[in-house]
Amino acid sequence: MRTKVPRSGWLTRHYGCVGDNRAASDDGIGRAVIAGAPNAIVALDRDQAVLTWNPAAERLFGWPAGELLGRRAPLVPEELTAEHNAVLERVRTGGQVSLRTKRFRRDGSLIDVRVDTSALRSEAGVLLGYVSVYHLTQDDETAHDRVARRAQLVRRLTDVVADINAERELPAVLDRIAASLAELTGADAGGFVLIEGDRVRLVASHRLPDSLRDSTADLRASLVGKLLRTGRTVMLETGDQARLDELIWSQLPGLHTIALGVAAVGGRPYGALYALFAKRKAGHVELELLELLAGHAGIAVANAMAYQEAVRQRAHERAVFDASADGIAVLDGAGRVIQWNPAATELTGFHAAEVIGGPPPFQLPEPGDKLTLQLPSGAWLDVLCAEIVETGEIVVDFRDITRAKELEEAKDLFLATTSHELRTPITVVRGFAGTLDSRWDNMTDAERRAAVHTIAERARSLGQLMDHLLLGSRAGAGELTLRIEGFDLGELLRAATLGLPVLSDLHRVEVSIPEDLPPVSGDALATDIMLGQLLENAFKYSPDGGLIRVEAWAAGERVVVVVDDEGVGIDPASRERVFERFVQGDSGDRRRFGGVGLGLYIVRSLAQAQGAEVSAHPRPGGGTRMRLALRIADTPGALT
């Protein structure tokens, strides 16, 4: 017996399967909702006759609605009748029951379902019947598996992201991203392209030929450009719509789907992930994972690029720091040394291990000022300081100005010496000239001749001094011009030493020049000046007399000339310095020997200009040996 159901109640409100006084449009919407529901919906009256049997119920159980409306549906197996009645009794007293059970299909087979049953009541609360919603338990399991798989993939994504972020080198980061892409999405292959201006470059790939790495394509024509123009973060291209540049897809036979995710940070796209599917399929879960991975990939790439830039910048700074000729130290806020470059060690003699952790081994100026100081070793330093406001650290830069100081002192001495050297002959010349002018008639011929001779000698010494100054000036400016040709050095040596034995009663002169001395290549006049200066120094710096020996011999491709004396000698520290401008051998009383300190400087300059070498050495037994080596002429007959 069918029970007439009132026109209002739960079913009317929610499904519209019973007519009410609402607008026909609302009633139609309710019926459409029930008809379109994906799950089977069955409404029963109080006697369990079918009131509603939607299309999903027809598909699930096999009975069309026309066969069951107004009748009891033969769904419940006999052994489950008690269970079914207990459910109805439970919902009749309030609440909803959900259980997994079995139900018959029209073909007599049993299916496993989950049933959600609730009471059907009027607006006044009167029980009108029951509503059951049926789901296949297999669908539940599939949904559960899908959720479980998604949760598993998300957990794996978390692990992958941690691994990626642990990498610092960009190539390793990119390779890890490409491998993780295939692992998480199930793609058959994958890759990562960097955006470089108007091009994209494949920088990492997985299951793609290695030959593709570093291939490039036009950004605008690629899928990356298409994705960027859409404003989305992921895109799926399938079948004939797939328009991936020749960079990747042509190398994967059977490719049918391309999933693409842009890797961006703060709105700036760094690149994109490609997931390529040839055998497998891509769905919304894969796209979601691709989007998540692409986002993390953008961060990882940005971090790796920033790290690389920081490493490059640090390496650049370290290279500058270590290669600087200036000493550089960095102090912390407490004034302790935390960095000390190699030049600092060389300039001060203090190794980094000795100073790091303590104060610098010299006084510091105020930041922005310069301080000139002398170390206990005798070295002079210019020290500057600058503060790094952001860190409170102090950068100390110091350079060796010892040579500049010595040159400054030498110049001062040169001026004083030159003044003295000029004043003495000028005073003598002026004195004798005045005497001749005022007393000419009162002087004998011998006295006048002696005065004129003295004036001539002093004028010659003045001329020689001016020649030295002029040669020194030209040598310093690199303006020496010589005529290089072959000449007979033996003849030049004999002429230069011919009158030496009669110059001094205190000195003995020995000259040893072989007859077969080969000709040399050079400038004969410049060589004569060099020999004259070396011989003059030998006499000057052996004021107490002794042996002066001149010797020459061939040695390999050169002819060696030595001038030995038994004089005051040159200390080891000055054997190179004596060839500098304004420097004289240190003998205590620097004015004892006179001169302006240009002689040996001129000798070395003339020697270097013609490819010769000159050096100072200690003489066995005391004194000095000056060694001059000239190149043997290529053509022995080329003499002038």
Side-chain angles (χ1 to χ4, degrees):
M1 174 180 176
R2 296 185 61 183
T3 303
K4 186 176 182 181
V5 180
R7 298 175 64 84
S8 62
W10 184 92
L11 189 63
T12 305
R13 291 195 305 271
H14 292 277
Y15 291 97
C17 25
V18 179
D20 60 11
N21 55 4
R22 294 184 181 180
S25 61
D26 290 341
D27 188 54
I29 291 174
R31 285 194 298 271
V33 169
I34 293 175
N39 297 314
I41 299 175
V42 178
L44 308 176
D45 62 15
R46 286 180 297 181
D47 295 327
Q48 300 185 44
V50 175
L51 297 174
T52 299
W53 188 268
N54 75 341
E58 292 180 345
R59 292 191 297 270
L60 180 62
F61 297 113
W63 284 285
E67 292 185 18
L68 294 180
L69 288 174
R71 300 176 52 237
R72 278 202 175 205
L75 298 177
V76 182
E78 184 178 351
E79 67 272 16
L80 297 177
T81 302
E83 175 190 78
H84 174 65
N85 291 333
V87 169
L88 297 182
E89 183 62 28
R90 174 71 182 85
V91 300
R92 186 183 299 119
T93 59
Q96 179 178 328
V97 175
S98 179
L99 80 159
R100 292 182 62 172
T101 187
K102 293 181 181 295
R103 291 291 185 265
F104 278 119
R105 288 176 55 86
R106 187 180 186 185
D107 61 6
S109 62
L110 285 173
I111 56 175
D112 294 318
V113 295
R114 181 169 61 84
V115 187
D116 299 322
T117 304
S118 58
L120 177 63
R121 298 181 184 278
S122 68
E123 291 182 357
V126 177
L127 178 68
L128 302 177
Y130 313 94
V131 176
S132 296
V133 181
Y134 293 87
H135 317 264
L136 281 174
T137 56
Q138 179 183 351
D139 294 340
D140 287 345
E141 291 171 356
T142 301
H144 179 271
D145 292 344
R146 187 181 298 111
V147 171
R149 178 173 177 270
R150 184 183 183 283
Q152 181 183 12
L153 288 174
V154 169
R155 287 194 299 271
R156 181 63 186 134
L157 175 63
T158 302
D159 295 338
V160 167
V161 169
D163 292 342
I164 292 173
N165 289 333
E167 296 285 356
R168 287 293 178 265
E169 297 297 330
L170 184 58
V173 169
L174 297 174
D175 287 340
R176 188 72 181 90
I177 290 172
S180 302
L181 172 65
E183 175 188 354
L184 291 170
T185 64
D188 297 289
F192 187 90
V193 293
L194 274 179
I195 298 174
E196 298 176 335
D198 59 354
R199 307 286 293 177
V200 290
R201 179 168 63 93
L202 181 66
V203 292
S205 63
H206 184 67
R207 298 175 186 159
L208 287 173
D210 290 338
S211 59
L212 290 177
R213 190 181 292 264
D214 290 326
S215 300
T216 65
D218 180 68
L219 171 63
R220 185 170 182 80
S222 71
L223 280 182
V224 181
K226 179 179 179 181
L227 176 57
L228 292 177
R229 289 192 294 273
T230 66
R232 303 197 305 268
T233 56
V234 290
M235 181 173 68
L236 197 66
E237 289 280 351
T238 59
D240 294 338
Q241 280 74 42
R243 289 294 182 267
L244 181 61
D245 46 78
E246 293 295 325
L247 178 64
I248 296 173
W249 71 267
S250 62
Q251 300 291 326
L252 187 65
L255 175 68
H256 58 74
T257 302
I258 302 166
L260 186 68
V262 64
V265 178
R268 175 192 172 184
Y270 284 90
L273 281 170
Y274 283 105
L276 309 178
F277 296 88
K279 300 176 182 177
R280 304 172 186 176
K281 294 184 178 180
H284 71 278
V285 173
E286 286 73 23
L287 271 182
E288 181 182 359
L289 286 169
L290 176 63
E291 183 175 26
L292 291 172
L293 182 59
H296 287 292
I299 295 172
V301 170
N303 289 342
M305 293 176 72
Y307 175 76
Q308 276 196 335
E309 177 60 23
V311 169
R312 189 200 66 78
Q313 183 65 26
R314 185 176 292 274
H316 175 75
E317 292 172 356
R318 173 54 62 181
V320 172
F321 183 79
D322 290 343
S324 174
D326 283 6
I328 301 176
V330 180
L331 315 182
D332 61 18
R336 295 183 295 261
V337 177
I338 57 176
Q339 293 189 59
W340 187 259
N341 76 337
T345 297
E346 183 178 350
L347 293 179
T348 65
F350 290 94
H351 292 278
E354 299 177 80
V355 296
I356 288 181
F362 47 75
Q363 182 183 353
L364 298 180
E366 291 296 322
D369 293 339
K370 182 175 75 171
L371 176 65
T372 300
L373 53 84
Q374 188 175 25
L375 298 177
S377 63
W380 285 89
L381 300 178
D382 266 353
V383 184
L384 299 96
C385 288
E387 182 180 6
I388 304 175
V389 178
E390 293 79 3
T391 63
E393 295 173 332
I394 300 292
V395 177
V396 183
D397 181 279
F398 47 98
R399 62 182 55 184
D400 187 355
I401 59 166
T402 305
R403 298 293 298 275
K405 273 284 187 181
E406 291 175 346
L407 184 60
E408 183 180 344
E409 293 177 357
K411 285 181 177 179
D412 291 341
L413 179 62
F414 165 73
L415 291 175
T417 303
T418 304
S419 299
H420 175 82
E421 293 291 324
L422 288 171
R423 183 181 297 111
T424 299
I426 288 175
T427 300
V428 172
V429 168
R430 185 171 57 188
F432 275 93
T435 299
L436 288 173
D437 180 54
S438 61
R439 300 184 58 223
W440 179 270
D441 295 333
N442 298 325
M443 297 174 66
T444 65
D445 288 342
E447 289 175 335
R448 285 193 292 266
R449 189 173 294 107
V452 170
H453 178 75
T454 300
I455 290 173
E457 284 295 317
R458 294 301 180 178
R460 185 189 63 79
S461 66
L462 278 173
Q464 186 179 31
L465 177 60
M466 296 309 297
D467 288 341
H468 276 195
L469 291 174
L470 181 60
L471 271 175
S473 174
R474 289 178 176 173
E479 296 176 353
L480 289 177
T481 55
L482 304 180
R483 180 183 178 185
I484 306 301
E485 57 188 357
F487 66 91
D488 189 340
L489 178 63
E491 180 181 346
L492 189 65
L493 282 169
R494 294 184 188 93
T497 58
L498 183 61
L500 292 181
V502 298
L503 289 180
S504 171
D505 296 334
L506 299 176
H507 297 86
R508 293 181 297 109
V509 179
E510 293 182 5
V511 180
S512 177
I513 303 171
E515 294 295 331
D516 59 349
L517 192 67
V520 297
S521 175
D523 185 293
L525 178 59
T527 303
D528 187 51
I529 293 174
M530 291 190 294
L531 292 173
Q533 185 62 52
L534 294 179
L535 291 168
E536 180 182 331
N537 278 9
F539 280 91
K540 183 199 295 189
Y541 289 101
S542 54
D544 298 328
L547 175 65
I548 292 177
R549 178 174 176 80
V550 179
E551 188 175 2
W553 66 87
E557 297 180 352
R558 292 184 178 268
V559 172
V560 177
V561 179
V562 295
V563 178
D564 289 345
D565 67 61
E566 296 178 340
V568 297
I570 304 173
D571 66 89
S574 300
R575 285 174 192 154
E576 275 299 309
R577 292 187 61 248
V578 293
F579 292 101
E580 297 175 9
R581 284 185 293 181
F582 318 133
V583 175
Q584 293 179 323
D586 190 0
S587 60
D589 180 7
R590 301 190 65 176
R591 293 279 9 103
R592 180 183 178 189
F593 302 106
V596 293
L598 283 173
L600 291 180
Y601 172 74
I602 292 171
V603 169
R604 173 159 285 184
S605 298
L606 293 173
Q608 291 175 342
Q610 56 186 312
E613 298 173 355
V614 64
S615 54
H617 306 271
R619 175 187 173 277
T624 300
R625 165 170 287 187
M626 302 301 293
R627 182 181 184 275
L628 175 65
L630 297 99
R631 290 179 297 140
I632 294 177
D634 295 331
T635 305
L639 302 178
T640 58

